[in-house]
Amino acid sequence: MVKLELREMDAGRVAVLRIENPPVNSVGSAVRVSLDEQLKAALSDASVKAVVLTGTARFFSGGADIREFNTPKAAVRPSLRELIAQIEAAEKPIVAAINGTALGGGLELTLGCHGRVADPTAKLGLPEVKLGVLPGAGGTQRLPRLIGLDAALEIIVGGEPVTAQQALEYGLVDDVDNDPVAKAIELALTIAQGVRAPRRVDHDPMDMPASAAAFDSARKNAERRYRGCIAPLEAIACVEKTLTTKLEEGLEFERDRFQYLVNGDQSKAQRHIFFAERKAAKLPSDEPADVKIRRVGVVGAGTMGGGIAMSLANAGLSVVLMEQSDAALERGWGTIVRNYETSQRRGRFTAEEVEERLARIQRSVDYADFADADLVIEAAFEDMAVKKEIFSRLDAVCRPDAILASNTSRLDIDEIAGVTSRPERVLGMHFFSPANVMRLLEVVKGAQTSNAVLAAVFGLATRIGKVPVLVGVCDGFVGNRMVSHYTREAYFLLEEGATPAQIDGALRRFGMAMGPLQMQDMAGLDISWAARKRQAPTRPAHLRYSKVADRICEMGRFGQKTGSGFYRYEPGSREPIPDPEVHALIEQCAAEAGIVRRDISDEEIVERTIFALVNEAAKIVQDGIAQRPSDIDVVYVAGYGFPMFRGGPMFYADTVGLEHVLNTIQRFHKEHGEFWTPAPLLEELVRSGRRFSDL
Ligand code: NAD
């Protein structure tokens, strides 16, 4: 757990305490107990002049053991707070040698030390707010005292780690060195000799002009970035305390807020999503990839192809972007260049970085340029005939071991694979718009897709910063298959009495990034119109069908791109404005369908739409289209703007209780008919008193 090693130096004996708790050196209860023992041994040994605290391999410490939260182990003494107080108060100098990543509680440990030296590769951060909690072992009180308010707010609220070099600039570490332990020993001994003063944080309130504006702007940023999450706001309140209270009182306040958060539903949901993402990355087979993906072809430079090419180029891959004509290619290229220019203006990339990225994308109108590609991703029109034509040409020009993928939103991957001579090397890679921003990647396994191909694509997904989720073939895979039910209920609710603004407002208040009708306006109403027309011949005639969306399209209103859809838009603005013309049309559709409009509550809007997602998701799990319920949560949080603080639709259903969900669905089934046939899996779970998280 924690090893003590004595080093004899000219200036005296130094105890090096090394945390050894693979894989990430988390400071769980056992490590705390061991560190306490070794620390006491080092401090009570009169021959030891100074102490150095370090970690092993790539980790100083990954922080508290999240799996121990809400368990008796979290209460095992000493607490991390008590350990840090002991370190801070020690008479002998204790210096942290940050040999690698120091996150959360790991970084907080170093903040109690009297000096800090980091390896050049070290990363230092306080990611707690991303898990719905806050740095609860003094981070919000000591970090601002050490590096000032602005930098501390950035690290605590942003949740992103900083590099060793940035940490040096902030004054978070005293030195950066290739041998941090040797340097820390040197620093500790100079402190012991009185040559240098220890860097203990001042316990008084911070002597800083109270900058209300800095806190206001931190709160505004947090509200925008973490929609509906309370942890970042609580963390800001803790930081604000440093201005008015002494350290001890601030620590008490922080402890209280941490306890409040760690016991709340939000942090449980956020921790669920954290683990769910890691689980989603696990494939059923551990067969390794059989091709290393370095060069990727992209067919189509439209909305998706352009974004996919950018994602790949950003991660250092070489890209061939192919279009059907020079004019289409130039149009797509122009959009990519403009997107990069915007990123550069916003300070995300430097001019050189933009240039490097653009240089990685080769433009082409010739299939022959795919001859040396390891993978080709097709992002052309959503039309089976077009896709089949493209895949047979790809099959002819690409290397036999090249992987061929389609970005189709709904079409049958097996039918596409069927036109090639290599169905085992064909799959779906369903990116989300904008593809260079959205993290989700649905990886669609066809009937014959090989495990080695899946492994190669999962590896690539991680390299380009995506969250891959394995899904099976069906209309719409996981995300879009569910969303059809969600939007269907939104359309029905319009006819029954709600307005677009009421539906979108209720779901935004629930925490969705945007409401379903706003989302439709953004994506373009013509796209789902085309899908509905395609499905029309096979739609059972006895089922209720809302004509609202079709009628809006018939008026030439395709959403934001035409300046009107479910809402109207002022030129150049994305702000949806309610439109009486649409309200009149909805009333007319309702009258034609013989529906008497009524008042609809926010609660009904949320239950009708969100439980429609849950019911379909349960069928998807049962059909084996998703590997596990938590994968569905990842799809919805990473790809569909579902609130992270509710943990995804399945976790949310578990939280409100599956019995309540099923009872409500049964009531809807009686009132609204067979769309609401309860999923057998949901019934089975309720019968056996289990939850989705038990599967
Ligand atoms: P888009 O119309 O913006 O772009 C398609 C591009 O493909 C056009 O530039 C077109 O010229 C080009 N193209 C068509 N046939 C071609 C061919 N034979 N060879 C080379 N280029 C060809 O469409 P999009 O929105 O980028 O969608 C592309 C695919 O991605 C579709 O299958 C769509 O269902 C899917 N998709 C779209 C979204 C979205 O939100 N737009 C999200 C996920 C998946």
Side-chain angles (χ1 to χ4, degrees), residues 147-199:
I147 66 171
L149 279 179
D150 291 341
L153 279 171
E154 196 179 312
I155 291 177
I156 293 169
V157 184
E160 294 297 329
V162 298
T163 60
Q165 195 51 42
Q166 285 167 313
L168 185 65
E169 282 157 25
Y170 284 146
L172 174 51
V173 297
D174 306 290
D175 217 331
V176 174
D177 197 282
N178 284 324
D179 189 347
V181 172
K183 198 75 189 174
I185 290 176
E186 195 184 307
L187 175 59
L189 285 171
T190 51
I191 298 174
Q193 290 160 337
V195 178
R196 236 173 119 157
R199 270 189 78 202

Side-chain angles (χ1 to χ4, degrees), residues 64-299:
D65 187 341
I66 308 164
R67 290 174 205 270
E68 289 189 356
F69 285 7
N70 308 111
T71 74
K73 286 192 173 163
V76 169
R77 307 275 301 267
S79 66
L80 198 51
R81 285 180 207 100
E82 290 165 335
L83 266 177
I84 295 168
Q86 202 186 130
I87 291 173
E88 191 170 54
E91 306 247 307
K92 293 178 192 175
I94 304 180
V95 174
I98 306 171
N99 56 301
T101 303
L103 296 179
L107 182 62
E108 288 176 299
L109 255 182
T110 75
L111 296 179
C113 294
H114 311 129
R116 280 153 294 276
V117 179
D119 185 271
T121 62
K123 291 222 161 22
L124 300 86
L126 293 172
E128 282 86 344
V129 293
K130 294 188 170 176
L131 297 171
V133 288
L134 50 77
T140 67
Q141 303 304 299
R142 290 194 180 89
L143 190 64
R145 283 176 161 89
L146 199 65
I147 66 171
L149 279 179
D150 291 341
L153 279 171
E154 196 179 312
I155 291 177
I156 293 169
V157 184
E160 294 297 329
V162 298
T163 60
Q165 195 51 42
Q166 285 167 313
L168 185 65
E169 282 157 25
Y170 284 146
L172 174 51
V173 297
D174 306 290
D175 217 331
V176 174
D177 197 282
N178 284 324
D179 189 347
V181 172
K183 198 75 189 174
I185 290 176
E186 195 184 307
L187 175 59
L189 285 171
T190 51
I191 298 174
Q193 290 160 337
V195 178
R196 236 173 119 157
R199 270 189 78 202
R200 286 195 170 88
V201 300
D202 191 345
H203 285 210
D204 285 336
M206 277 173 72
D207 186 15
M208 279 227 170
S211 70
F215 287 102
D216 276 355
S217 110
R219 285 197 172 90
K220 280 208 187 81
N221 284 339
E223 271 156 20
R224 207 176 33 242
R225 184 147 172 227
Y226 299 97
R227 252 173 338 100
C229 294
I230 51 179
L233 301 175
E234 292 289 351
I236 294 170
C238 289
V239 173
E240 212 165 13
K241 276 276 167 200
T242 58
L243 294 174
T244 52
T245 61
K246 287 183 76 93
L247 181 72
E248 289 66 26
E249 205 182 314
L251 290 174
E252 269 310 299
F253 182 77
E254 179 197 83
R255 194 172 98 100
D256 177 69
R257 300 330 291 157
F258 177 85
Q259 287 303 338
Y260 162 69
L261 292 173
V262 82
N263 292 319
D265 283 344
Q266 283 206 356
S267 90
K268 287 178 190 152
Q270 287 177 251
R271 277 177 273 154
H272 160 77
I273 278 294
F274 176 83
F275 289 117
E277 277 189 13
R278 274 145 196 81
K279 235 189 261 167
K282 290 206 176 77
L283 284 167
S285 140
D286 48 19
E287 197 178 322
D290 59 1
V291 59
K292 173 102 184 104
I293 299 174
R294 296 188 186 88
R295 186 164 166 81
V296 184
V298 177
V299 183

Side-chain angles (χ1 to χ4, degrees), residues 282-492:
K282 290 206 176 77
L283 284 167
S285 140
D286 48 19
E287 197 178 322
D290 59 1
V291 59
K292 173 102 184 104
I293 299 174
R294 296 188 186 88
R295 186 164 166 81
V296 184
V298 177
V299 183
T303 313
M304 294 308 289
I308 294 169
M310 289 174 75
S311 260
L312 295 162
N314 289 345
L317 284 119
S318 127
V319 181
V320 194
L321 180 61
M322 203 274 275
E323 257 293 349
Q324 49 188 350
S325 68
D326 288 320
L329 186 61
E330 282 321 302
R331 219 176 19 249
W333 181 252
T335 309
I336 292 176
V337 171
R338 271 195 306 281
N339 283 339
Y340 273 128
E341 281 168 358
T342 310
S343 299
Q344 188 186 329
R345 240 190 345 269
R346 292 187 182 153
R348 228 190 113 211
F349 297 131
T350 63
E352 296 79 65
E353 283 168 336
V354 167
E355 216 162 284
E356 267 168 34
R357 284 161 167 76
L358 287 172
R360 288 189 195 119
I361 307 176
Q362 178 195 337
R363 282 168 278 172
S364 164
V365 285
D366 186 355
Y367 276 86
D369 289 323
F370 289 143
D372 56 352
D374 306 301
L375 161 73
V376 179
I377 305 171
E378 167 278 320
F381 301 133
E382 186 75 341
D383 180 307
M384 186 51 96
V386 171
K387 307 252 188 225
K388 282 185 171 172
E389 154 81 15
I390 293 173
F391 272 74
S392 39
R393 298 192 61 177
L394 289 175
D395 193 40
V397 298
C398 291
R399 282 197 329 252
D401 66 337
I403 300 172
L404 308 182
S406 173
N407 181 48
T408 176
S409 310
R410 292 180 166 273
L411 299 177
D412 185 343
I413 296 294
D414 292 328
E415 196 177 334
I416 297 173
V419 303
T420 73
S421 61
R422 59 179 97 191
E424 71 291 345
R425 305 196 74 75
V426 177
L427 79 170
M429 287 176 74
H430 185 210
F431 289 83
F432 289 74
S433 179
N436 53 319
V437 177
M438 297 297 284
R439 294 168 62 232
L440 179 64
L441 177 67
E442 283 186 332
V443 178
V444 191
K445 180 182 185 330
Q448 298 191 53
T449 312
S450 78
N451 289 327
V453 163
L454 293 178
V457 168
F458 263 57
L460 174 75
T462 315
R463 266 165 73 203
I464 63 175
K466 301 293 176 202
V467 181
V469 178
L470 187 67
V471 302
V473 175
C474 66
D475 188 341
F477 316 121
V478 168
N480 284 341
R481 173 168 157 184
M482 285 165 64
V483 99
S484 304
H485 296 258
Y486 174 76
T487 38
R488 177 200 71 221
E489 288 303 310
Y491 296 161
F492 287 171

